[in-house]
Structures are given as C-alpha cells and as structure tokens.
Amino acid sequence: AVSGLVMDAMWDLLNRIQRAQPGVEAWMSDLHARNAAQSTAASATGFARLGQYFPASILEGARAVTVDRMPFPPVVALGLPEFEALAAMPMAGITFGHMYFLHRDHAGEALHFHELVHVVQWAALGVAAFLPTYAVGIVQHGYEASPFELAAYDLQAKFERGNALPGIVDFIRWHADETRKEAESLFQSV
C-alpha cells in the first residue's frame, strides 16, 4: 500500500509540474527580459580559466547577472509548494536557461564555473525536459544530492583543484541526457 501511495503522490507531482511549466517558462522569459541590460557575457567576467573548460560559444552565449537577492519562480502560486523551501534557501547562484544569477558576495570564479555547468545542462535538454528532470531529482534526492547538482559540485571541485577536464561539455550533455532518461522512466512507471 505504501508504494501505491508513493506512486500516486509522484503521479500527482508530475502532473502539477507539467501544468506549471508554461508559467515557469513565462516567468523565465520575463526574468531574462528584465535582466538583459545588466547581464554580462560569461566571456567578459574576467575569469580567464573558464575558457580552458568551456568553448567561446558557450561563454559568449551565457549571461551572468550579479544580484543581492536570488530570483526564483513563484512555485506556490504555480501549484508546486514542495519547492517553497528551495526558494527560501540561501543560494550563492542559480541558473535559468542561458542566464545565471550570482549573489554579489559569492561571485567568484568557481561559482561562475558551477553555474556554467547548469547552462550546458539547460542547453542540452531545453526548458521542456530540464524543468521536470531537475524537479524530480530534487524530490527524489534533495537539493545537494540531486543528479544535476551532484554533477555541478563534482566538476566544480575538480575545477578548483585545477584538474584538466577534457570533453567536459560532452560529459555534461551526456550526463544531462542520462538523467533525463532516468526521470522519464520514472514518469512512465507512474
């Protein structure tokens, strides 16, 4: 009976995530429009080491915005109260599509790197696949142990140690796709 209740709860959550998606996409579009003028290309942040890990096309397409308060979608209004705690969590950075936001007090090179991992994940999956995949990872594993965050933190630690990471973009894309497949198999099982 417990697994039936868990499956029902997961099915309900997946349906609500799908219903909320257009609202999140509209919120993101507005966020990008409101912050475009103050955003900076990742290539212009002054952190030359980023170019050793990411190609110029990614660094020029990714936009960094320094803020005092992290933006977050209105998850409760969108019918996803499970993510309210995440919205209230103190964050150093957050990524929405090609634009990432860094708290003014934490806008160092390693955080730029971490958020660029997320930029590549978003680009690999697109909004329609990224949002439910990320949400399922958070629900199943919590924030820090979610697949996308684990990958970003692991790669960030290697970056901070100065490890060479040949093929990093291909790895991030592969990992994002594998994570999406796992989430989709969960969707199909409920």
Side-chain angles (χ1 to χ4, degrees):
V2 172
S3 72
L5 291 174
V6 170
M7 295 304 269
D8 287 348
M10 187 60 76
W11 184 84
D12 174 62
L13 176 62
L14 294 174
N15 278 326
R16 288 185 290 115
I17 289 170
Q18 288 178 333
R19 286 193 307 268
Q21 188 141 343
V24 174
E25 289 181 34
W27 177 87
M28 281 178 54
S29 180
D30 180 62
L31 179 71
H32 288 175
R34 284 185 287 117
N35 288 280
Q38 67 238 36
S39 70
T40 303
S43 60
T45 60
F47 296 116
R49 280 187 63 221
L50 296 175
Q52 296 172 19
Y53 295 86
F54 296 100
S57 59
I58 289 174
L59 295 176
E60 291 176 23
R63 307 297 298 181
V65 182
T66 304
V67 296
D68 292 316
R69 187 167 175 248
M70 286 299 138
F72 204 85
V75 289
V76 174
L78 292 167
L80 299 169
E82 298 86 349
F83 299 101
E84 186 173 20
L86 186 62
M89 190 174 87
M91 293 183 212
I94 193 166
T95 301
F96 296 102
H98 71 286
M99 188 175 284
Y100 61 98
F101 297 80
L102 307 168
H103 191 279
R104 190 168 313 287
D105 296 338
H106 305 284
E109 182 180 51
L111 185 56
H112 279 273
F113 178 92
H114 180 104
E115 298 307 324
L116 285 164
V117 171
H118 292 314
V119 167
V120 174
Q121 291 167 336
W122 276 92
L125 298 184
V127 177
F130 181 91
L131 287 172
T133 303
Y134 189 85
V136 165
I138 296 288
V139 169
Q140 285 186 305
H141 307 285
Y143 170 76
E144 288 187 9
S146 67
F148 286 167
E149 291 302 334
L150 275 178
Y153 281 116
D154 179 56
L155 292 169
Q156 177 185 346
K158 291 174 180 172
F159 172 79
E160 289 175 317
R161 289 192 301 269
N163 296 11
L165 297 169
I168 184 175
V169 172
D170 290 336
F171 170 76
I172 296 166
R173 289 176 179 150
W174 171 84
H175 181 267
D177 193 51
E178 290 298 307
T179 304
R180 177 195 55 78
K181 288 175 188 173
E182 289 174 24
E184 283 180 356
S185 70
L186 177 66
F187 300 157
Q188 293 166 358
S189 70
V190 291

